[in-house]
Amino acid sequence: MKRRTFLLGTASGFSVLALAACVAPAPVPTTSPSPTTLTPSLVPQPLTVSRTNWSTDPFSRGSFSYAAVGATPEHRAALGQAVDARVFFAGEATAADEPGTVQGARASGLLAASQVRDIAAPGERITIVGAGIAGITAARELVNDGFNVVVIEARDRIGGRIDTVSADWPFPIERGPSFVHNTADSFLDDELTALGVKLLPFVRTPEVRTRAGEVVEVSPLGTQAVAGALSWAANQQQDVSVERALVDSGEASLSKTPNAEGLSDADWLEYEIATKLKVETGATPSQQSAWYTTDSASADDDQIVLGGYSTLLAGDAEGLELLLSSVVNRVAHDDDGVSLRLGTGESLSADRVIVTVPLGVLKDAAIEFSPALPFAHRGAIGALGMGVVDKIWLRFDAPFWETSARLWTIVGEDADFPVWINMMPLTGEPVLMGLIAAENATRLSELDDEAFLAAALTALEPFLAVPDQ
Ligand SMILES: Cc1cc2nc3c(=O)[nH]c(=O)nc-3n(C[C@H](O)[C@H](O)[C@H](O)COP(=O)(O)OP(=O)(O)OC[C@H]3O[C@@H](n4cnc5c(N)ncnc54)[C@H](O)[C@@H]3O)c2cc1C
């Protein structure tokens, strides 16, 4: 199954169409309306709100890694290389298969544990930085092998980007991953089901509305244009951005003449970018590699987790030695072992360390390595991208919508939240989950909660039930 295949993103600031019209393309300024104006929305105020802000989260600094232009799978492999058999790396960004997913992160934890097992002497002390799925998986493996393991975690909880919240909600909501991507080797859905976690198949067929609230048939033009651009790029000597591939292949040259519904062919390309490319990667088409971006036409459906993704970690975490609320800010090593310095100034020593912190944390050099990481690691950290996708969960007193569609999208408008998931048909509860991605997510990350909510409610207006005449 392809990674994060079902999802969607937003088109504001997208410059392919503008670029297509230029001889010498130049960056095009964003045309998004400012979300900071707190115009009251017609959508009722929700009873409960939960908003994520992964880009400003100091222990994540983004949502998940993506293939930036020029980045290759070799960069992920390089990032996963051990340094002097003392400092090991795991985490979704190092995953050879399914990077950016729970599956990929877990596989990376298994791999790092096997690398340590291959060279460590029995009973050695192994420190693991980060209690996300990669860190907890590695720790469980090594404890089972008889090593003396301690996991150091900056947050006051385990799970990292797996962030299930139950209090104040009629069912557990997921602030991080919500979907399960199975792979040929691993069936996460079966595992979750065996743990008593409820999942449901999630069919990706969206209900598409214009900003005016009109339901329209989705056109295949956008998907076809992106697929055409990616296959054009596959035959080029050098990787280019998805944006460049769309322009240079001619696929972005779509008519801008509106039809009776007010939509043009070009709107469907913007829609494809907004509702798929950006949410799948958290990046703009100008940032994404055309060689390593997946075309959504061949995407499979996923399953949505309704009963708590974090259950996946609970069993493996049981009985582990965990040091919560402890930020590691320096990792030093020599021939004798490793030494870790915490934010409190305390130090810890061990024989080896597995570092599982997100790519965003490494990119921001929030941890100092001594000696400095090798050139290949630094190259990989620089080359790979960290995308941004944020969520807003809203619980209403009663539904203000009439549609029973699970997946809502908006076309022909530069909506900040162009994708919504309607939990009503899935759970019977009037709860919605909105998604915002790439530069829109970064821009709105600066808003306070009130302004962020106002932007989300405005985006929902096309879904308001039409009042009886
Ligand atoms: C909004 C969103 C939606 C997503 N959707 C999906 C989806 O539907 N399906 C899917 O499969 N995947 C999805 N993902 C990706 C998935 O969540 C991640 O790939 C996976 O959880 C990463 O696990 P990890 O162990 O590599 O990293 P993390 O879970 O981030 O674990 C790293 C840990 O390191 C800790 N840490 C950071 N810095 C320090 C420090 N200095 N000292 C000590 N500890 C530190 C962090 O607090 C964290 O606990 C989504 C992610 C987000 C954010």
Side-chain angles (χ1 to χ4, degrees):
M1 179 178 279
K2 301 263 195 298
R3 67 179 292 276
R4 230 186 328 278
T5 42
F6 93 102
L7 275 178
L8 320 163
T10 165
S12 74
F14 171 56
S15 54
V16 164
L17 302 176
L19 201 52
C22 301
V23 177
V28 173
T30 175
T31 53
S32 307
S34 164
T36 43
T37 43
L38 291 184
T39 322
S41 167
L42 301 169
V43 173
Q45 285 295 314
L47 300 176
T48 320
V49 180
S50 181
R51 165 224 184 154
T52 69
N53 203 337
W54 290 104
S55 60
T56 60
D57 181 326
F59 309 124
S60 180
R61 303 181 192 229
S63 301
F64 36 75
S65 64
Y66 71 91
V69 192
T72 65
E74 287 71 40
H75 285 117
R76 296 191 186 278
L79 186 57
Q81 286 297 309
V83 180
D84 299 333
R86 292 282 166 203
V87 182
F88 296 75
F89 288 89
E92 57 84 7
T94 69
D97 297 318
E98 306 274 319
T101 67
V102 172
Q103 295 277 20
R106 188 160 68 164
S108 76
L110 289 172
L111 181 64
S114 77
Q115 290 168 343
V116 169
R117 188 189 296 129
D118 286 350
I119 47 170
E124 272 191 9
R125 187 163 176 79
I126 314 294
T127 304
I128 295 179
V129 184
I133 185 101
I136 295 288
T137 303
R140 171 51 51 203
E141 286 287 298
L142 293 171
V143 166
N144 290 351
D145 288 340
F147 292 100
N148 179 0
V149 178
V150 58
V151 183
I152 307 178
E153 168 55 51
R155 301 177 201 271
D156 59 4
R157 61 169 182 84
I158 65 164
R161 280 169 276 175
I162 297 181
D163 187 7
T164 307
V165 174
S166 299
D168 302 327
W169 293 88
F171 58 89
I173 61 154
E174 304 295 344
R175 291 166 48 82
S178 289
F179 295 90
V180 166
H181 310 279
N182 285 325
T183 59
D185 306 328
S186 158
F187 292 92
L188 205 50
D189 55 349
D190 289 347
E191 271 181 62
L192 284 160
T193 306
L195 291 168
V197 175
K198 189 174 170 195
L199 295 110
L200 282 176
F202 195 84
V203 180
R204 285 178 298 121
T205 314
E207 176 173 296
V208 190
R209 293 196 179 215
T210 63
R211 187 75 202 144
E214 204 173 329
V215 179
V216 291
E217 275 292 304
V218 63
S219 156
L221 284 172
T223 311
Q224 287 166 358
V226 172
L230 297 185
S231 45
W232 172 88
N235 293 318
Q236 304 306 304
Q237 296 290 319
Q238 259 197 321
D239 190 15
V240 293
S241 71
V242 172
E243 179 179 82
R244 170 61 51 209
L246 277 160
V247 173
D248 288 0
S249 65
E251 296 284 353
S253 308
L254 293 172
S255 161
K256 291 185 188 165
T257 311
N259 63 10
E261 287 160 333
L263 295 172
S264 69
D265 293 353
D267 284 329
W268 288 106
L269 174 55
E270 298 249 12
Y271 172 83
E272 176 75 10
I273 288 161
T275 60
K276 292 193 188 130
L277 283 180
K278 287 190 183 176
V279 172
E280 286 165 8
T281 60
T284 62
S286 62
Q287 296 170 312
Q288 292 170 38
S289 151
W291 274 358
Y292 297 105
T293 291
T294 313
D295 137 31
S296 76
S298 51
D300 298 318
D301 290 328
D302 293 297
Q303 305 221 49
I304 186 161
V305 179
L306 300 172
Y309 226 131
S310 58
T311 313
L312 194 61
L313 292 130
D316 279 351
E318 217 173 285
L320 291 181
E321 188 180 340
L322 279 165
L323 220 56
L324 295 178
S325 305
S326 303
V327 182
V328 172
N329 57 25
R330 187 166 190 269
V331 173
H333 77 273
D334 58 23
D335 292 345
D336 298 327
V338 296
S339 160
L340 272 64
R341 193 180 64 206
L342 304 186
T344 54
E346 291 163 284
S347 289
L348 268 120
S349 44
D351 294 298
R352 299 170 211 278
V353 61
I354 304 179
V355 177
T356 75
V357 302
L359 175 68
V361 171
L362 296 173
K363 275 185 166 299
D364 283 0
I367 297 180
E368 179 197 343
F369 289 88
S370 175
L373 287 176
F375 182 76
H377 286 76
R378 285 183 280 141
I381 291 166
L384 293 164
M386 189 69 177
V388 185
V389 174
D390 275 309
K391 291 184 170 184
I392 189 163
W393 283 88
L394 305 172
R395 180 168 72 96
F396 295 90
D397 189 21
F400 60 81
W401 57 92
E402 277 168 347
T403 174
S404 58
R406 296 170 178 199
L407 183 56
W408 302 352
T409 56
I410 300 162
V411 64
E413 176 73 19
D414 215 0
D416 282 327
F417 295 82
V419 176
W420 289 87
I421 291 166
N422 173 14
M423 305 301 287
M424 187 83 188
L426 297 161
T427 64
E429 297 290 343
V431 172
L432 301 175
M433 181 183 90
L435 290 161
I436 182 164
E439 81 283 15
N440 293 329
T442 307
R443 180 168 45 84
L444 264 64
S445 70
E446 288 164 21
L447 299 189
D448 63 21
D449 291 349
E450 194 190 353
F452 192 82
L453 173 62
L457 296 184
T458 302
L460 278 169
E461 284 172 0
F463 299 94
L464 273 164
V466 180
D468 294 335
Q469 296 299 314

